[in-house]
Amino acid sequence: KQWYQRRVRGSPLVTHYLNTRNLGKDLLAPKLVSRTQFEKMGPQEPTYRQIIKQAKKVYGNLEEQHERAMKLSEAEARRIHKRYKEEILELSVIQRELFKRKNEVRVLSEKLIDYQNSDLYNQPGTFANIFEPYAELFKEQIEEAKKDLND
């Protein structure tokens, strides 16, 4: 801070101010005025307008990210649903073809009983392994059923 003192005689603005306060009539006694001047201003805080602008920008970015995430999750849900329908179709074809072959039903029944008694029973994905050989065996019938479904 720097302090300045100066005589105010002669300035029309100051003279008017002093006259309105009945302070300017005494010409024999000089009047002293002091002022404070800051050399550096502190860091400027953001204005409300800047804060609102930034908040709108962040909100817009979040909205875009949410929209992208929703599109991705919708696409993923469609993909999962399509795969689910394909697996149901495969299992129904396998079931239909197995019932045409009584010996295969007996073998599969024994495999399922062994599977239930094994440690793999509650592990995900192991049940599908039982049907993999049958998916290969009835591949043509499964493809035919898929074509019929798409048509």
Side-chain angles (χ1 to χ4, degrees):
K1 296 180 181 180
Q2 292 180 351
W3 291 89
Y4 294 95
Q5 291 186 344
R6 61 192 270 211
R7 293 178 68 148
V8 293
R9 204 181 289 166
S11 169
L13 182 62
V14 174
T15 304
H16 174 70
Y17 175 79
L18 293 174
N19 285 337
T20 57
R21 303 286 190 270
N22 292 325
L23 299 172
K25 300 200 182 330
D26 188 9
L27 297 176
L28 297 176
K31 306 290 183 205
L32 298 176
V33 177
S34 63
R35 70 179 180 139
T36 304
Q37 179 177 349
F38 295 100
E39 288 186 25
K40 283 188 177 179
M41 295 294 288
Q44 197 173 19
E45 298 293 324
T47 62
Y48 285 118
R49 185 169 297 184
Q50 291 169 334
I51 292 171
I52 291 170
K53 184 178 178 181
Q54 182 68 25
K56 284 181 179 179
K57 186 177 178 181
V58 168
Y59 176 76
N61 289 340
L62 288 175
E63 205 170 52
E64 287 175 18
Q65 289 176 359
H66 181 290
E67 194 66 33
R68 263 188 262 127
M70 290 301 293
K71 285 180 183 177
L72 288 174
S73 63
E74 287 172 4
E76 184 68 15
R78 283 192 300 272
R79 188 187 65 75
I80 290 170
H81 185 68
K82 181 180 176 184
R83 180 65 189 139
Y84 172 75
K85 285 171 50 177
E86 289 174 356
E87 287 179 358
I88 294 296
L89 180 69
E90 286 178 17
L91 287 175
S92 66
V93 169
I94 290 171
Q95 180 183 10
R96 186 178 67 230
E97 293 298 321
L98 280 175
F99 282 127
K100 292 178 184 176
R101 303 173 183 194
K102 300 296 181 193
N103 288 338
E104 291 291 332
V105 172
R106 187 177 49 80
V107 171
L108 181 60
S109 299
E110 290 173 4
K111 282 184 180 181
L112 287 173
I113 291 171
D114 290 342
Y115 170 71
Q116 283 182 329
N117 295 330
S118 72
D119 293 334
L120 301 174
Y121 184 61
N122 288 323
Q123 294 182 6
T126 57
F127 186 72
N129 294 340
I130 294 172
F131 292 100
E132 279 183 26
Y134 297 105
E136 287 297 318
L137 182 65
F138 303 124
K139 189 174 186 177
E140 291 176 15
Q141 290 88 343
I142 292 171
E143 292 299 323
E144 197 174 297
K146 284 182 182 178
K147 285 180 186 176
D148 292 343
L149 181 68
N150 291 334
D151 292 339

